[in-house]
């Protein structure tokens, strides 16, 4: 289907945008705002509001008609391969399908002292207004903190009957994050038979999300991952109907 | 008196129960010390700087003393005993020698000389804090104070102190009375205070003494230009509450976030550690003339703001009790609460007014800290701006003291220049158009607002009665606040707690 934006008449193509330019407010600045709008495809562009903010900035609101057409048939969406669930849905799924709390053990391994990632995912405080996994009633979370050795992590995972192990790696000097992840995956393979091995998840800002198989883990999460995405993934991977 | 017709006997009963619940915790705090309390003492005594790995000398020195004689005597006597024995006059030099293993520590049989030397050293630190407080009073007289209540409180958080400074100065020029520099995510879990000016942080800027100094100096300059004193806020929370309080006092910060239970509930810090650290940090704030901001808004982001309204009241009363016990005056209590009721709920605004007015009337002499909506900000910036307008209106109708400016882009981006400008326009419209509306706002006797406020207070009294029947530590352990169960023998920082020996000596608190 071919569509264009809708103001008050089908096909009118009307949109509204607002932005700031680093210019003092005067006629020239207003002209600059219209020029930007034109370059964005708004033609005609109506400058409806301009407000100085301090000496050197001006805020603009522009209404205008865009000439672009959108073809819904050619839209490409990078689909997440699992549905994003709310905390309530995660809890309900665990309760229904597992009938006990799902055990999660998290740590920063090696010499990495940056708990910022694992804490953002696990602490109740969470990140960007989203609560961490501790907040999920049906998840039993153990956060081992920083500089945890791989043997200690394996032992804690066994003791807590971990369904999933989350490892955060921020430091990447000499590829420490990759070495640590491989060592961790190998230790779990050695210590536990395949059917008792927890789901292994690593996260950190410098990982390539496509390297999971190569590093011997089940999933890699990159920069900007939220607790909810991790929780949804755990439900999908551990409790999905397709997993035996 | 009062707009809610609260029964003074019920209010008195609520305070009495809060005191009963809090007393055992105060006893605990009086009979224990922590690594951070001891490090704070050493900072007041003049230990400064860090080793080449960035580990502060106070950490190295406390660790060295603890390894030789433990923590239970306090570090002051063994440190100053060693200083006298070594014939040194600089405690930082002693810390460097101790870190190299060149000095051993002992508890002297006659501690008198070491105690006197420690007392003299920390008095110098405390006098600096006193001078800073006097300096604040002087600058407020010279430049003038914020023109009205509520004070307008704005946040900066770039991660880079040198980016924060121009942003903070711009925010002050645009009307902010208070600037808060948000800390880097996870700093609360560091068991040391980073050193120096920092240019990298995660969703915030590290709190360091040098960053405090740089920002305060920049705001002093702006205060002078604007003809009003602009206040600076940071955080006394996490594992280093006492040290943060000392550094804030030494660098003339004006407000500190300081909650009695936040670290326990939301950061899984050991309860005993938190209560001991909290008491000392508040004693320092009291001396420094710093206004604390408590963190009750956090309960409402995890629990439902209507169902959990009474837990906010309970926490406010406990925070007040602990604050008074530590020596803080009412004018220093920025008791927290928030506008977090689901806007889809019928009568949500009237419920907000009831809760906000209840806080106002329970703490008539405290500058309440009024926190904007976050939980129900969806990314719909237009609706968000409307919600913030109602938040501002509730603030002026109920006489709030410190208004944290809500951003329509909450949950979308860290505020843009234009977001802050639009948010301040919103605040200014409400303050200019309805700033004195509280004079005319009189809830109907027996009406919706009064009834709701009474109900919340009654529920709070009930919960306080339950808590004081067992103990606050048990209540925290069994998940009464938020949803977290936090037992007293677990959580971060427990290994940094020690019970006082009979010869415990702390030159700051004695």
């Amino acid at each position: 289907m071919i569509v264009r934006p809708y103001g008050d008449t089908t096909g009118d193509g009307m949109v509204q945008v607002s932005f700031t330019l680093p210019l003092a407010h005067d006629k020239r600045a207003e002209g600059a705002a219209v020029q930007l709008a034109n370059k964005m495809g708004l033609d005609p562009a109506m400058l409806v509001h301009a407000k100085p903010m301090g000496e050197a900035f001006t805020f603009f609101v522009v209404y205008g008609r865009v000439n672009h057409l959108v073809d819904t048939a050619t839209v490409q969406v990078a689909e997440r391969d699992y549905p994003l669930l709310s905390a309530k849905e995660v809890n309900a799924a665990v309760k229904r399908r597992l009938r006990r709390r799902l055990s999660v053990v998290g740590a920063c391994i090696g010499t990495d002292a940056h708990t910022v990632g694992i804490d953002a995912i696990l602490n109740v405080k969470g990140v960007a207004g989203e609560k961490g996994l501790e907040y999920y009633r049906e998840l039993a979370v153990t956060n081992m903190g920083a500089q945890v050795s791989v043997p200690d992590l394996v032992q804690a995972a066994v003791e807590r009957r971990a369904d999933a192990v989350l490892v955060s790696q921020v430091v990447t000097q000499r590829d420490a994050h990759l070495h640590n992840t491989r060592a961790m995956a190998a230790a779990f393979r050695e210590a536990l038979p395949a059917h008792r091995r927890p789901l292994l998840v690593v996260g950190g800002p410098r990982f390539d999300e496509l390297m999971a198989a190569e590093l011997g883990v089940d999933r890699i999460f990159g920069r900007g991952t939220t607790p909810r995405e991790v929780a949804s993934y755990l439900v999908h991977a551990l409790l999905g109907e397709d997993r035996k | 008196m009062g707009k809610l017709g609260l029964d003074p006997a019920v209010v008195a009963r609520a305070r009495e129960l809060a005191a009963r619940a809090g007393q055992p915790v105060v006893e605990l705090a009086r009979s224990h010390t922590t690594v951070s309390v001891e490090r704070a003492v050493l900072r007041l005594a003049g230990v400064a700087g860090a080793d080449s790995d960035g580990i502060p000398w106070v950490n190295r020195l406390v660790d060295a003393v603890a390894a030789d004689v433990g923590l239970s005597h306090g570090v002051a006597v063994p440190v100053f005993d060693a200083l006298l024995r070594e014939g040194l006059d600089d405690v930082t030099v002693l810390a460097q020698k101790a870190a190299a293993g060149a000095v051993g520590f002992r508890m002297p049989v006659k501690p008198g000389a070491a105690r006197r030397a420690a007392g003299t050293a920390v008095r110098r630190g405390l006098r600096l804090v006193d001078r800073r407080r006097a300096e604040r009073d002087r600058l407020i007289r010279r430049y003038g104070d914020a023109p009205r209540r509520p004070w307008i409180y704005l946040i900066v958080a770039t991660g880079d102190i040198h980016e924060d400074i121009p942003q903070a100065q711009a925010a002050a020029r645009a009307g902010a009375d208070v600037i808060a520099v948000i800390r880097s995510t996870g700093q609360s879990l560091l068991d040391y205070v980073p050193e120096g000016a920092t240019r990298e942080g995660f969703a915030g800027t590290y709190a360091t003494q040098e960053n405090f100094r740089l920002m305060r100096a920049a705001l002093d300059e702006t205060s002078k230009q604007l003809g009003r004193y602009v206040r600076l806020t940071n955080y006394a929370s996490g594992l280093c509450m006492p040290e943060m309080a000392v550094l804030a006092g030494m660098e003339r910060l004006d407000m500190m976030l300081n909650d009695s239970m936040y670290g326990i509930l939301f950061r899984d810090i050991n309860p005993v550690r938190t209560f001991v650290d909290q008491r000392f940090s508040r004693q320092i704030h009291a001396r420094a003339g710093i206004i604390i901001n408590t963190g009750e808004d956090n309960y409402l982001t995890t629990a439902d703001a209507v169902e959990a309204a009474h837990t906010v009241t309970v926490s406010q009363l406990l925070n007040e009790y602990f604050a008074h016990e530590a020596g803080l005056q009412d004018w220093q209590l920025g008791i927290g609460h928030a506008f977090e009721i689901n806007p889809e709920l019928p009568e949500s605004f009237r419920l907000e007014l009831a809760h906000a007015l209840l806080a106002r009337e329970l703490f008539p002499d405290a500058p309440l800290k009024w926190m904007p909506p976050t939980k129900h900000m969806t990314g719909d910036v237009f609706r968000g701006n409307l919600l913030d307008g109602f938040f501002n209106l509730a603030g002026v109708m109920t006489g709030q003291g410190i208004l944290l400016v809500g951003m329509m882009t909450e949950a979308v981006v860290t505020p843009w220049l234009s977001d802050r400008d639009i948010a301040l326009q919103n605040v200014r419209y409400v303050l200019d158009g309805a700033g004195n509306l509280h004079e005319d706002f009189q809830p109907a006797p027996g009406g919706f607002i009064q009834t709701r406020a009474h109900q919340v207070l009654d529920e709070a009294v009930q919960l306080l009665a339950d808590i004081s029947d067992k103990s606050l530590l048990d209540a925290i352990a069994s998940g009464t606040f938020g949803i977290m169960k936090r037992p007293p023998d677990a959580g971060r920082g427990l290994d940094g707690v020690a019970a006082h020996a009979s010869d415990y000596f702390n030159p700051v608190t004695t």
Side-chain angles (χ1 to χ4, degrees), chain A residues 16 20 49 51-53 57 59 113-116 119-120 123-126 128 131 134-137 143 145 170, chain B residues 185-186 189-190 202 206 262 265-268 298 301-303 382 411 417-418 421-422 425 483-484 486 492:
Chain A
Q16 177 262 96
T20 300
H49 176 68
K51 180 180 180 291
M53 297 183 295
F57 295 93
F59 177 68
H114 296 76
T115 59
V116 49
D119 287 327
N123 270 193
V124 181
K125 173 78 180 169
K131 300 284 168 275
E134 278 191 333
Y135 172 66
Y136 292 66
R137 264 171 221 279
N143 184 351
V170 173
Chain B
T185 300
L189 303 181
L190 298 180
F202 303 91
Y206 284 103
Y262 172 82
L265 299 173
F266 294 92
R267 289 301 196 180
D268 194 14
N298 290 287
T301 62
T302 45
F382 303 102
L417 185 72
S418 56
D421 190 72
I422 290 166
Q425 258 183 72
I483 56 160
M484 304 316 304
R486 302 299 194 196
R492 297 182 172 91

Side-chain angles (χ1 to χ4, degrees), chain B residues 306-472:
Chain B
V306 176
E307 271 172 38
H310 65 292
T311 65
V312 167
T313 307
V314 166
S315 173
Q316 290 170 334
L317 287 160
L318 290 169
N319 261 313
E320 179 197 50
Y321 169 74
F322 290 131
H324 282 162
E325 194 281 329
L328 288 159
Q329 313 272 314
D330 281 329
W331 66 268
Q332 290 175 289
L333 306 187
I335 302 269
H337 59 149
F339 188 96
E340 289 283 18
I341 297 174
N342 184 350
E344 303 293 331
L345 192 73
E347 310 292 358
S348 66
F349 186 65
R350 292 169 91 192
L351 289 166
E352 294 284 9
L353 287 174
H355 297 176
L357 202 51
L358 176 61
R360 179 71 287 162
E361 305 226 321
L362 282 177
F363 309 99
D365 300 315
L368 303 181
K369 166 96 173 286
W370 183 225
M371 306 281 286
T374 57
K375 194 163 120 184
H376 299 286
M377 298 296 270
T378 57
D380 177 349
V381 295
F382 303 102
R383 182 172 174 276
N385 200 31
L386 177 65
L387 212 54
D388 282 333
F390 272 67
F391 158 76
N392 294 333
L393 184 61
V396 298
M397 287 176 78
T398 59
Q400 304 298 316
I402 305 162
L403 185 131
L404 196 159
V405 176
M407 294 289 151
M408 63 183 190
T409 44
E410 177 76 38
V412 183
V413 288
T414 52
W416 290 358
L417 185 72
S418 56
D419 299 337
R420 215 174 272 140
D421 190 72
I422 290 166
L424 281 171
Q425 258 183 72
N426 186 330
V427 170
R428 224 169 288 125
Y429 169 66
V430 174
L431 289 191
D432 292 349
N436 295 318
L437 188 58
H438 58 89
E439 291 173 12
D440 307 302
F441 172 50
Q442 187 70 52
F448 181 90
I449 288 177
Q450 280 205 355
T451 306
R452 174 61 188 165
H454 291 196
Q455 183 195 354
V456 173
L457 180 58
D458 289 345
E459 287 172 9
V461 168
Q462 187 55 53
L463 178 56
L464 278 167
D466 291 350
I467 293 170
S468 57
D469 273 352
K470 19 183 195 178
S471 84
L472 183 55

